[in-house]
Amino acid sequence: MELDPALPAVNQTVLVSAPGPFVLLRVSGLEALHAWLSVPGCLLYMAALVGNALLLGLVAVDKALRAPMYQLLGLLAAADLILATSTVPKALAVLWGLSGEISFGACLAQLFVAHVAFIAESSVLLAMAVDRYVAICQPLRYGALLTQRVVGIVAIAAVAHGSCVMVPPVVLLQRLPYCGQRALPHTYCEHMGVARLACGDTRPNIWYGLATTLLSPCLDLGLIGASYVLILRAVCRLPSHGARYKALGTCGAHASVIVLFYTPAFFSFLAHRFGHHTVPGHIHILLANLYVVVPPALNPVVYGVRTQQIAQRLRHLLQLFWAGAVRKVDPERVSPQE
């Protein structure tokens, strides 16, 4: 973008050095459907809040869920809550026409938190794959290798990993010159979306974004795939069909979550990096919104349905809640034995 030669030099400098506030433009090309698009988004976000908060609470207070497998699931729920909450409320406000502006600082904070949560969740999924590998391939060493201390190290490492990956692009965005363009064609701030508003050289941002995607989520996914190859090889060596089915059953929920998490994220990445001129803008925006709300909403459902102990605890909790509600509404219905 070229500066207007008719503007005074001082004003042009201000335009370069003081970006924002940006204006989020919702879903371009689907203006008539914004209200309808917000309905499933809002419902999925509420499901993500309730499901992950409930799951996180169960893991935190229930002594029967203190095993590393369930503590890692608690980390996953925490990452899902942060990922959805850092993006979806602003996206809904934009779709509802309540607040389309966002300051440059708030924009950088939003993309930093969202991307750190995404990278941390990818790291937790890798740790969960290692957990399943040790449980199936080296069961006698499971208690020694995977402890609460190891889970704590995983949590710190996941956050540190995401922060280290995201500090450089935030610094690069801060150093770019911005020449007054404020319209951001998205429902929330995203690294390359913000970089395209600059009038300077964005090649470092492009190459860094590509490199970190290949060396972070892609590497995590490759290691997860390698762990599952080893798991399948160990399962095939089990003597009975029942043992094989039980071993694979413990991996079913994790495999489902992996598909839910990585599929929309990589579709969005490929569309943004390589299909910018061929994929319609509204398709890219919808994909980008899918990967921040659909996995957080469905992950608790997948684990609640496919993990027997969690399903039992949830049923017990709901029964207690229902019994308490009945006592408050109609005390006469309480059993005489009580």
Side-chain angles (χ1 to χ4, degrees):
M1 179 183 293
E2 296 183 358
L3 297 178
D4 188 348
L7 291 175
V10 174
N11 290 340
Q12 294 189 41
T13 303
V14 171
L15 287 174
V16 171
S17 60
F22 297 137
V23 178
L24 298 166
L25 294 182
R26 301 191 274 187
V27 185
S28 178
L30 298 177
E31 289 79 6
L33 299 176
H34 284 165
W36 293 104
L37 290 173
S38 68
V39 173
C42 184
L43 293 176
L44 286 169
Y45 178 58
M46 295 303 296
L49 284 182
V50 174
N52 287 290
L54 187 59
L55 193 57
L56 191 57
L58 275 177
V59 173
V61 303
D62 196 327
K63 293 182 180 180
L65 301 178
R66 295 293 172 86
M69 170 185 173
Y70 302 114
Q71 292 183 332
L72 289 172
L73 184 55
L75 296 181
L76 185 70
D80 277 336
L81 281 173
I82 296 171
L83 177 63
T85 303
S86 64
T87 54
V88 179
K90 184 62 179 179
L92 291 175
V94 171
L95 290 175
W96 290 332
L98 300 177
S99 174
E101 285 195 350
I102 184 169
S103 68
F104 183 62
C107 189
L108 293 183
Q110 184 187 57
L111 69 88
F112 176 82
V113 173
H115 284 77
V116 168
F118 177 85
I119 294 169
E121 183 163 349
S122 180
S123 300
V124 172
L125 287 173
L126 173 59
M128 294 173 77
V130 174
D131 171 84
R132 292 299 84 205
Y133 165 76
V134 175
I136 293 173
C137 299
Q138 301 184 34
L140 298 179
R141 301 182 62 191
Y142 183 84
L145 293 176
L146 290 168
T147 62
Q148 291 187 357
R149 181 173 177 272
V150 171
V151 175
I153 292 173
V154 168
I156 295 172
V159 175
H161 177 209
S163 300
C164 291
V165 168
M166 284 310 300
V167 165
V170 170
V171 173
L172 288 173
L173 289 174
Q174 287 179 318
R175 297 182 63 181
L176 284 172
Y178 298 86
C179 304
Q181 185 175 349
R182 301 174 60 222
L184 185 61
H186 216 306
T187 54
Y188 61 88
C189 291
E190 192 269 341
H191 173 217
M192 286 310 303
V194 176
R196 288 195 176 96
L197 298 182
C199 51
D201 184 8
T202 60
R203 285 177 296 180
N205 299 74
I206 295 172
W207 286 111
Y208 184 84
L210 180 62
T212 53
T213 301
L214 293 176
L215 295 176
S216 187
C218 285
L219 179 60
D220 290 345
L221 186 58
L223 293 174
I224 290 171
S227 70
Y228 268 91
V229 169
L230 296 175
I231 288 172
L232 289 174
R233 189 175 67 175
V235 168
C236 290
R237 294 175 179 174
L238 293 176
S240 66
H241 178 75
R244 295 173 191 171
Y245 181 80
K246 183 178 179 180
L248 290 177
T250 62
C251 301
H254 182 247
S256 301
V257 167
I258 289 171
V259 174
L260 285 173
F261 179 73
Y262 285 108
T263 302
F266 280 121
F267 268 117
S268 178
F269 169 78
L270 293 173
H272 200 69
R273 289 297 188 283
F274 306 110
H276 185 62
H277 299 291
T278 57
V279 178
H282 63 273
I283 297 296
H284 166 67
I285 296 172
L286 291 175
L287 286 172
N289 281 275
L290 280 178
Y291 87 78
V292 298
V293 68
V294 172
L298 296 183
N299 286 352
V301 177
V302 170
Y303 273 101
V305 171
R306 304 204 62 165
T307 306
Q308 184 177 5
Q309 195 163 7
I310 291 177
Q312 291 174 348
R313 296 293 170 177
L314 284 173
R315 283 196 297 268
H316 179 65
L317 183 64
L318 291 175
Q319 288 171 356
L320 292 176
F321 176 79
W322 176 254
V326 169
R327 287 190 182 96
K328 289 182 179 180
V329 174
D330 188 2
E332 295 181 358
R333 294 183 61 183
V334 178
S335 173
Q337 296 177 353
E338 299 178 342

